[in-house]
Amino acid sequence: MKRTFLIIAFIISIVYSGFVFQPHYGGYVTDVNPVIPDVMGYVNVIESDGITSNTAVYNVDSFPLFSGFPKTLPGRPFEGGIYCNMDSDNDLEIVYNMGYTVQAWNYDGSDVPGWPQTVPTYVLEGAPAFGDIDGDGQGEIVVTNHGLTSGGSIFAFRKNGTTVPGFPINHGYNTRTPVLANVDNTGGLEIIVNKRLSSSGEVWVYSGNGIVYPGWPKTINHVPASSSAVGDITGDGFVEIVSESYSSLFAWDRNGNAISGFPFTMPNGDVNSYSSPVLADVDGDNIREIVFGTHSLSGGGYVYLLKNNAVVMSGWPKAVGQWIYGPPSVGFIDSDNIIDIAVGDQVLSGSPSDYISAWNKNGTELTGFPIGPLWAINSQILIGDIDNDNNMELICDDNTSSNGRGKYLAFNHNGTPLAGWDVNTDGSTFFSTPMLGDVNRDGLLDIAGTGSIPTPPPLGTNFPYLWNSAIPYNPLRITIAMWQYNSRHNGVYGDNPLVGIEPSASEIPGAYRLGQNYPNPFNPSTKISFDVPIQGYAKLSIYDVLGREVNVLIEGDIRPGAYEVSFDGDKLSSGIYFYKLVSGNFTETKKMMLVK
C-alpha cells in the first residue's frame, strides 16, 4: 500500500505542478512506467510492493537502420506518423508531428523540400493526416494543435509546405488526430475534428477551403474522447461519422442527422478514452459494423461490436482486465477465414499486468490468446504477414524502457513471440503506433517508429527510426500498416490504398471469375486474373499436387473490381500446381504448369 500511496501522491504533484503531465498530452511517472490519463484526467493504478521485474538489457537493433536515422527532436508524437508520396518520385516520405513542427523526411533522412513547418502557440496533437482536401489532384497535410484547456487551430499544407488557402482555422480545442473523408462524394476530402468545451463537446466537419460543412457542428453530451471513424455503415453509398464522447457513442449521416439508435450509452458504466472506433463488415452482409473499446473507473474494460442501429451483436461485449486506450484492430489473424478483432489493455503497475486479447467475430477467443502478462499496450495493434510465413503477425508498442531503451513487440497469430524480432529504440515506444511499408520501393519491408523520453519538459525528446527488415515486402498481406488503417485515419477496415491491391479496370464486374493463368506453361512467372463483384474477403492461394499451400498471393478485404496479380515460381521445382480463389460464397480452382 505504501508504494501505491507514493505513486498516487506523485501523480497528484505532477497534475498541480504542470510538469510534463497534461490531461490531453500525457506524461511519465518514471522511466519504467509512463502513464497517460483518460480524457477526464483519471489514471489507472494497481497496487505493488515496489519490486519491478523490468530489468532486462536489450540487444542492439536486429534490423539495419536507414542512413539518417534515428533522429533526435523535441516533442513526442501520439498515435504515430504516416507514409505518403510528397514529391514526383515513386518513393514514400515519412511525416510526423513533433512538438511545434510537422516533420517530413525522405528515406535517407533528409528533409523534404519545404519542410519542416512550424505552428504557433501550442504543440501539435495526434498524427498528421494526408489527402486531397481541395480537389486539385494532390494530397495535402492536415494537422491540429490546442492549448492546455482551450484554444487551438487546424493547419493544412501543400506538399511543398505552403499553406492551403482558407487555413489555418481558429477552431478551438480539438483533441487527437484529424480525419479526412469524402463526405459529399464530390471534389476533395472533408476534415472531421472534434472540439472540447468545459463539460461537453462538438464534432465539426470542414470543407477543404476551410468553410464549415452544412449541418455541422453537432453537440455531444460530454467531452470528446477520441478521433472519429468515417465510412459507410448504412449501405447508402455515403459515409457516416461515428464519434465518441466520454460517456456515449454517436453516429450521424453526412448532413448531421442522427442515425437511428444513437447515441449509444455503454451498459456497464464504462467510458471512452482514445480508443477510436473502427468500421468493418464483420458478418458478411456488406454493411459495416462499429468496433470500439472502453474502460471502467472501477477497473477493467470492454470491446463492443455494434450493428448500425446501435444493437450490440451476439457474443459481445468482451471484457478485459484493464483499460483500453488503443483502437481495436480488425482483420484475419488466424487461418480460419473468420474475421478477428484484437486489442491491448493498460494499467500503471510495478509489474507486467496487461494482455493482448483477440476474438473472432462471434466472440470466441482465438487460440493462444490472451497474450501476457505484458507491460501496457496503448497503441493500435498492426496486423500483417511480416515474415512471409503465410500467417499474420501482431505488432504493437510497449510502455517501458530499461537502461534508456524501449521496444516494439511482435507476436505470431497463435500468440507466441515472433522469433528473431528485436526492434529497440532510445526511449519508450509508448502510444506511438509503428508503420509498415516499402518506403524506398526496393521490394523489402520497412518499419518506422519512434521512441521518446519525457525530458526535458514540457516536450521531452523523440527519436524517429526507419528500419530495413531485409524481408520481402508483400503489400497484399498487410492489413493495418499505420494508425487507423491509412493516412486519412478514417478507421475503415479494408481501406488501405498504400498497401492494398487496386483493380486493373474501373468497371465493376457482375459476377465472380477466376481466369486461366497466362502464360501457361510458365517459367518462372505468370499472371492470374480474377473478378470480384462485391467488397469483401478474398484469398488467392497456390497449392502443390499434394494439396499443400505453398504461397498466398492475396488475403484480406478488397474492393469490387477486375484484378491481375503476378506469381513468381522461381523457388519452386517444375511440375503441376493449382491456384484457388475464395471470396464470399465463391470458390474455384485452376491448374497451371511450371516448366524450368
Side-chain angles (χ1 to χ4, degrees):
M1 288 297 294
K2 180 179 180 181
R3 169 67 171 175
T4 301
F5 175 80
L6 290 175
I7 292 175
I8 295 173
F10 185 57
I11 292 170
I12 293 173
S13 71
I14 291 174
V15 172
Y16 286 97
S17 68
F19 171 75
V20 181
F21 175 92
Q22 296 176 5
H24 65 284
Y25 197 67
Y28 288 86
V29 173
T30 70
D31 180 52
V32 175
N33 292 300
V35 58
I36 188 168
D38 70 15
V39 295
M40 289 303 296
Y42 297 109
V43 296
N44 198 9
V45 179
I46 193 170
E47 292 187 2
S48 169
D49 61 4
I51 300 174
T52 177
S53 60
N54 185 39
T55 58
V57 177
Y58 303 131
N59 297 325
V60 298
D61 301 316
S62 60
F63 295 147
L65 284 163
F66 278 83
S67 176
F69 293 90
K71 294 177 171 294
T72 303
L73 294 163
R76 182 157 60 94
F78 280 115
E79 296 171 346
I82 58 174
Y83 295 140
C84 58
N85 195 331
M86 298 183 67
D87 52 27
S88 59
D89 61 28
N90 193 40
D91 300 326
L92 299 178
E93 283 68 52
I94 304 121
V95 185
Y96 275 101
N97 288 339
M98 295 283 177
Y100 295 92
T101 65
V102 186
Q103 301 283 339
W105 305 301
N106 298 300
Y107 67 82
D108 63 1
S110 61
D111 291 332
V112 174
W115 300 84
Q117 289 294 320
T118 301
V119 302
T121 311
Y122 308 118
V123 296
L124 291 159
E125 173 81 359
F130 178 80
D132 181 8
I133 64 171
D134 58 6
D136 65 351
Q138 299 293 320
E140 287 79 39
I141 298 289
V142 180
V143 298
T144 64
N145 68 355
H146 66 76
L148 178 60
T149 58
S150 64
S153 300
I154 303 171
F155 303 85
F157 303 98
R158 300 194 190 281
K159 291 180 180 181
N160 61 6
T162 59
T163 300
V164 176
F167 293 85
I169 301 169
N170 184 18
H171 170 74
Y173 191 154
N174 169 73
T175 62
R176 317 315 291 176
T177 296
V179 177
L180 308 183
N182 196 336
V183 173
D184 56 8
N185 283 355
T186 63
L189 304 177
E190 280 69 46
I191 303 167
I192 299 92
V193 294
N194 61 49
K195 185 174 183 177
R196 179 166 176 159
L197 306 175
S198 58
S199 59
S200 63
E202 297 169 337
V203 177
W204 290 65
V205 179
Y206 289 94
S207 298
N209 58 5
I211 303 300
V212 177
Y213 191 84
W216 299 85
K218 305 304 296 184
T219 300
I220 56 179
N221 61 1
H222 211 303
V223 300
S226 69
S227 300
S228 299
V230 186
D232 184 4
I233 63 171
T234 62
D236 64 353
F238 289 89
V239 301
E240 282 74 42
I241 296 171
V242 181
S243 304
E244 295 177 343
S245 77
Y246 189 61
S247 58
S248 303
L249 186 77
F250 293 78
W252 304 274
D253 67 17
R254 66 189 187 280
N255 299 313
N257 301 307
I259 303 300
S260 178
F262 291 90
F264 170 82
T265 300
M266 289 75 72
N268 298 297
D270 39 333
V271 293
N272 298 310
S273 283
Y274 313 126
S275 180
S276 298
V278 170
L279 310 180
D281 176 16
V282 301
D283 59 3
D285 64 354
N286 296 317
I287 301 293
R288 294 187 178 97
E289 284 73 47
I290 304 168
V291 194
F292 66 105
T294 68
H295 65 280
S296 172
L297 298 184
S298 62
Y302 296 88
V303 179
Y304 287 86
L305 180 54
L306 303 185
K307 298 292 288 184
N308 64 4
N309 58 1
V311 172
V312 180
M313 292 187 65
S314 177
W316 300 85
K318 307 304 295 186
V320 298
Q322 310 298 346
W323 291 9
I324 297 173
Y325 273 1
S329 299
V330 180
F332 293 91
I333 296 174
D334 56 16
S335 56
D336 63 0
N337 197 20
I338 301 175
I339 202 165
D340 306 308
I341 297 168
V343 73
D345 61 16
Q346 63 85 33
V347 62
L348 175 61
S349 172
S351 61
S353 304
D354 305 292
Y355 291 83
I356 296 175
S357 301
W359 311 267
N360 68 20
K361 66 179 183 181
N362 303 314
T364 303
E365 192 169 70
L366 300 192
T367 301
F369 290 84
I371 304 169
L374 305 168
W375 295 103
I377 307 299
N378 292 282
S379 74
Q380 189 171 35
I381 300 169
L382 301 187
I383 301 175
D385 180 7
I386 61 172
D387 60 0
N388 281 344
D389 66 349
N390 290 329
N391 292 301
M392 292 297 185
E393 285 77 46
L394 307 177
I395 306 97
C396 63
D397 70 337
D398 175 269
N399 81 334
T400 65
S401 63
S402 180
N403 291 347
R405 299 286 283 168
K407 57 188 174 181
Y408 283 107
L409 308 178
F411 300 93
N412 293 302
H413 68 287
N414 59 6
T416 59
L418 179 62
W421 178 272
D422 194 14
V423 178
N424 300 322
T425 62
D426 287 329
S428 169
T429 60
F430 170 65
F431 233 127
S432 181
T433 303
M435 297 186 288
L436 306 175
D438 181 7
V439 178
N440 61 345
R441 304 299 198 186
D442 65 351
L444 301 176
L445 174 68
D446 303 321
I447 303 167
T450 66
S452 60
I453 57 175
T455 55
L459 296 181
T461 304
N462 194 265
F463 307 95
Y465 285 79
L466 181 63
W467 296 276
N468 185 338
S469 72
I471 299 169
Y473 171 64
N474 185 351
L476 307 179
R477 298 282 293 162
I478 304 294
T479 301
I480 309 179
M482 63 184 68
W483 190 80
Q484 282 293 70
Y485 287 88
N486 52 58
S487 60
R488 289 167 281 117
H489 308 304
N490 60 15
V492 176
Y493 164 69
D495 187 359
N496 192 353
L498 266 181
V499 299
I501 179 173
E502 294 298 317
S504 56
S506 58
E507 296 83 6
I508 296 178
Y512 288 101
R513 181 190 67 88
L514 179 61
Q516 184 63 51
N517 67 300
Y518 179 84
N520 188 39
F522 64 98
N523 179 27
S525 62
T526 188
K527 294 183 180 296
I528 300 171
S529 64
F530 64 95
D531 297 346
V532 174
I534 60 174
Q535 179 163 328
Y537 173 84
K539 182 176 181 179
L540 181 62
S541 305
I542 309 296
Y543 296 86
D544 63 17
V545 292
L546 298 178
R548 296 174 298 195
E549 187 176 75
V550 297
N551 202 304
V552 177
L553 300 181
I554 294 171
E555 184 176 18
D557 190 275
I558 64 174
R559 294 186 293 148
Y563 294 86
E564 184 177 79
V565 297
S566 296
F567 169 62
D568 190 340
D570 183 58
K571 296 181 180 180
L572 300 176
S573 59
S574 297
I576 294 174
Y577 292 86
F578 300 89
Y579 57 99
K580 181 171 74 171
L581 175 65
V582 177
S583 185
N585 295 322
F586 176 84
T587 300
E588 186 170 349
T589 302
K590 289 185 179 291
K591 182 172 66 175
M592 60 184 178
M593 180 174 291
L594 173 60
V595 178
K596 293 186 174 180

